[in-house]
Every structure is written in C-alpha cells, then in structure tokens.
Amino acid sequence: MYEGVVQDLIDELGRLPGIGPKSAQRIAFHLLQAEETDVRRLADVLVQVKARVKFCSICFNVSEEETCRICRDPRRDPTVLCVVEEYKDVVAVERTREFKGRYHVLGGAISPIDGIGPDQLRIRELMTRLGDGTVTELILATDPNLEGEATATYLTRLLKDFDLTVTRLASGLPVGGDLEYADEVTLGRALAGRRSAR
Amino acid sequence: MYEGVVQDLIDELGRLPGIGPKSAQRIAFHLLQAEETDVRRLADVLVQVKARVKFCSICFNVSEEETCRICRDPRRDPTVLCVVEEYKDVVAVERTREFKGRYHVLGGAISPIDGIGPDQLRIRELMTRLGDGTVTELILATDPNLEGEATATYLTRLLKDFDLTVTRLASGLPVGGDLEYADEVTLGRALAGRRSAR
C-alpha cells in the first residue's frame, strides 16, 4: 500500500516485539518527518550495539569487553552467585543495591514447549564455574513463573551433591500491593512463608 | 544502569512515538539477541528511507521519485482534487478504492496552539495548482476534529470566489458501530445529515 521503502520500514518495525501494524505505521511516519541526523543516530546505534555488545566470558552478562563490569570488580564477593535467566534480571537485582556477589546468566528458562531444555541454557558453564569451590552460596533468582520454577527445581536437583548453600528468592506479597488483589497462589505463598513479627 | 551502548539504544528507541521506557528496554533486549543481519536490515532501511523518500513536487505525497505514483498515473482524473492533511490520509482514501482523482497533501492542519497557521501548510501551493482551471471539484478531506474543521473552514472561505465545487466528507455513524456508544456530536451530525431511506 505504501511506497516501496516506506513499506519496508513499516515491515521491519512491525517485527519488533510489542509493535503492531498501527504502531509501526505511526513510527514510520514519524521517522519520515524527523531530521535525517536523528534517524541516522538511531541507525548507527543499532549497528553499534551489534558490533560492540558481547557476552561476558565468565557470567554471560552483557558486556562491551571480554568480561563484564561486575566480574571485573574486585569488590564483588566471588563466593555468592546469583543465577538469573536474562541480562535484564541482572539489572533488576543490581537496582536493589542489596546484592554484592556475582551473577550467572542462564540465557533463558527451561520451556519444553519452546524447545528450550537444559542444553540450550548455560548450565554446563555454571557447573564448570562451581568446579573450583570458590562459590559457597548459590541464589536461584529465576522468574516466579512455570518456566522459572522448573529451571530452579532442575538446578536444585542437579546441585544436591555439591557442598553449597542453595537458596531461592522469597515469594510473597509485593510491597505496596493490596492484599485483596493478590492472586491466591501469591497469597498462599505469603501465608506459608509468614515470619515472626517481633 | 545499562552498559553504554545498550543504554544509548534504549534512549534512542524511547524517543519514538508510543514507545515508553519499558517498551524501549524490551525492544533493545530483543535486538541484543537478534541476528546481526536482521538488526542491520532495520538500520539500513532507516538510512534508506531518509535517503530515498522525497515529497512529490505536485501534490506533496510521499514519493521515491520527483512526482508520485498517483500524479504520474494518466488514468487518475485531474479534475477532482482531494485535500488531505498527511500522507497517511492519502493511503486511507486509496484503501477505499472509491476515489479516482488526485490529491493535495497540506502537511498538517491549522493549529494555533502548535504554532501552525496557513503559512506552515501547503496552501499557497494548492492555490497555484488551482490557477490553471483544470480542477473542478475539491474534496476537503481533513480530519473530523477541531484542527481539521478549522482548516476546512479556512479553505472554504479562501476558495469562495473560485469556480469550483467544494465538498466535505460526510459526518455520521461509523459503519459497524453502535448507536448507543456514538458520542453526541457524531449522533447529532448523523441526524442532521439523515437521508431518505427509499
């Protein structure tokens, strides 16, 4: 319907997650009217991101160098390892400023329906890291959903003969949430995990 | 919070219309994991769109050549001109397959609050086009909102001494809509514009 290259742009934008055909059109028309330098800056950063962003050779976090900022930081405790699914989970945990250990990014969660089994995740690399005995506590910080739970259960079983403290993030009510609106599974976990108030 | 170039990408994506910080993050993470060729294709089409897309020198429609497909098409009736605000409105009218005339794209609508007056639109160019007397009917197909109505009213007044049929798109209930949910202005217009049922 649109002139050749405009349609190409709409098609490419429409492939991005969360961008439907209407949004793709809207963005394309915005770009048609935008300054050429602004559009070129976006194009450049797209190329740069693929050229410069690598994955840390130790923890598989996103990094512009061979190893990531966290793995290079000598102040980070090498005995505590937080296992997460994705890079964005590293950022989420970092944002809390509560964690001083290091990470291991699995690259996803076990999901047979999507064809993702343990071999598609960086579990073998995790085992290799645990081999030298530096790590004494492993925090399984996978997502609190079906796939995340399956992954945590799988890892717990795999690690049962290791001399390691293996923990999971607490389940319960979100802070600032409303008891009335909590789903029954969350509320059930909050009850089961109740703590002394004094 | 994110590694340098990743944050740059999130910032650039966040400048696009309808993309909030969360969507920008989501798209950036998607691109981090996407194939390099796919990302490069998006970057290329962004550069291409700015390099190749021009505006038709006759009607100001988007075009990859000096004049657009519609202005070049000898089967399109040159005596009927449909005046629209934007390129996307050309596409919307074309999609109906009801219109066989030509277009004039104003490049927006009169909106004093946004600093857009008649001089910022291609109204002078419209007058020049009407000068040779080829056009006998002008359809004002501006948006049915405050700015579109103001623009149509302005043009109607400007054209009152021209030997031209000037029409506006019909207002009324949208097809497939629900009478109960129609706003009172739309329903009022539908009433005022009622037609004989036989």
Side-chain angles (χ1 to χ4, degrees):
Chain A
M1 206 54 172
Y2 295 95
E3 290 280 322
V5 73
V6 179
Q7 188 62 55
D8 292 346
L9 178 59
I10 293 172
D11 292 345
E12 287 299 329
L13 291 169
R15 287 200 185 95
L16 299 176
I19 308 265
K22 281 276 165 190
S23 308
Q25 264 185 41
R26 194 165 152 214
I27 296 171
F29 291 132
H30 166 87
L31 292 170
L32 274 180
Q33 262 146 21
E35 289 296 322
E36 179 157 1
T37 51
D38 292 341
V39 178
R40 191 168 282 276
R41 211 172 46 237
L42 173 57
D44 283 347
V45 81
L46 284 166
V47 172
Q48 287 297 318
V49 101
K50 295 313 280 188
R52 277 161 55 187
V53 172
K54 294 186 276 281
F55 293 96
C56 171
S57 61
I58 299 170
C59 75
F60 303 96
N61 188 8
V62 160
S63 175
E64 290 185 33
E65 298 179 42
E66 173 67 17
T67 55
C68 76
R69 266 192 308 206
I70 295 166
C71 285
R72 284 197 310 269
D73 186 344
R75 290 164 304 178
R76 303 292 298 230
D77 184 353
T79 67
V80 188
L81 207 60
C82 181
V83 177
V84 295
E85 295 180 18
E86 306 280 3
Y87 169 49
K88 56 178 173 266
D89 302 320
V90 172
V91 178
V93 176
E94 283 297 284
R95 220 175 257 144
T96 67
R97 299 172 185 279
E98 295 282 341
F99 182 67
K100 300 294 168 220
R102 305 200 177 187
Y103 293 92
H104 189 85
V105 182
L106 293 172
I110 293 173
S111 173
I113 211 166
D114 300 314
I116 302 176
D119 290 345
Q120 276 71 51
L121 304 176
R122 292 171 196 126
I123 291 178
R124 205 174 310 116
E125 292 85 345
L126 175 63
M127 293 301 145
T128 311
R129 278 184 85 177
L130 296 176
D132 70 358
T134 309
V135 176
T136 55
E137 184 181 354
L138 201 77
I139 304 173
L140 297 175
T142 52
D143 285 343
N145 56 23
L146 206 66
E147 293 80 15
E149 299 278 349
T151 310
T153 306
Y154 177 87
L155 288 174
T156 308
R157 216 170 295 161
L158 201 65
L159 296 164
K160 72 177 189 309
D161 295 330
F162 280 66
D163 185 22
L164 269 178
T165 307
V166 178
T167 57
R168 297 230 44 201
L169 295 183
S171 281
L173 296 174
V175 178
D178 215 327
L179 199 103
E180 173 184 6
Y181 297 128
D183 66 282
E184 57 271 32
V185 181
T186 302
L187 194 50
R189 295 246 179 125
L191 262 173
R194 68 191 180 279
R195 298 184 306 163
S196 164
R198 304 189 289 163
Chain B
M1 205 56 170
Y2 296 96
E3 291 279 322
V5 74
V6 179
Q7 188 63 54
D8 292 346
L9 178 60
I10 293 173
D11 292 346
E12 287 299 328
L13 291 169
R15 288 199 185 96
L16 299 176
I19 308 264
K22 282 276 166 190
S23 308
Q25 264 184 41
R26 194 164 151 213
I27 296 171
F29 291 132
H30 166 86
L31 292 170
L32 274 181
Q33 262 146 21
E35 289 295 321
E36 179 156 4
T37 52
D38 291 342
V39 178
R40 190 169 281 275
R41 211 172 47 236
L42 173 57
D44 282 347
V45 81
L46 284 166
V47 172
Q48 286 296 318
V49 102
K50 294 314 277 188
R52 278 162 53 186
V53 172
K54 293 186 276 283
F55 294 96
C56 171
S57 62
I58 300 171
C59 75
F60 303 97
N61 189 6
V62 160
S63 176
E64 290 185 34
E65 298 181 39
E66 173 67 16
T67 55
C68 76
R69 266 192 308 206
I70 295 165
C71 286
R72 285 198 309 270
D73 186 344
R75 292 164 303 179
R76 304 292 298 231
D77 185 354
T79 67
V80 188
L81 207 60
C82 181
V83 177
V84 295
E85 296 180 16
E86 307 279 3
Y87 168 49
K88 57 178 172 264
D89 303 321
V90 172
V91 178
V93 176
E94 284 297 285
R95 220 175 258 146
T96 67
R97 298 174 185 277
E98 295 283 340
F99 183 67
K100 299 295 169 220
R102 305 200 177 186
Y103 293 92
H104 189 84
V105 182
L106 293 173
I110 294 172
S111 173
I113 211 166
D114 301 312
I116 303 176
D119 291 345
Q120 276 72 49
L121 304 176
R122 292 167 197 130
I123 290 177
R124 205 175 309 116
E125 291 85 346
L126 174 63
M127 294 301 146
T128 311
R129 281 184 83 178
L130 296 177
D132 71 357
T134 309
V135 176
T136 56
E137 184 181 354
L138 201 78
I139 303 172
L140 298 175
T142 52
D143 285 342
N145 57 23
L146 207 67
E147 293 79 14
E149 299 278 349
T151 310
T153 306
Y154 178 87
L155 287 174
T156 307
R157 215 172 295 162
L158 201 65
L159 295 164
K160 71 179 189 311
D161 296 330
F162 280 66
D163 185 22
L164 269 178
T165 306
V166 178
T167 57
R168 296 228 47 198
L169 295 184
S171 282
L173 296 174
V175 177
D178 214 328
L179 199 104
E180 173 184 6
Y181 297 127
D183 67 282
E184 58 271 32
V185 181
T186 301
L187 194 50
R189 295 245 179 127
L191 263 174
R194 66 191 180 280
R195 298 184 306 163
S196 163
R198 305 188 288 161

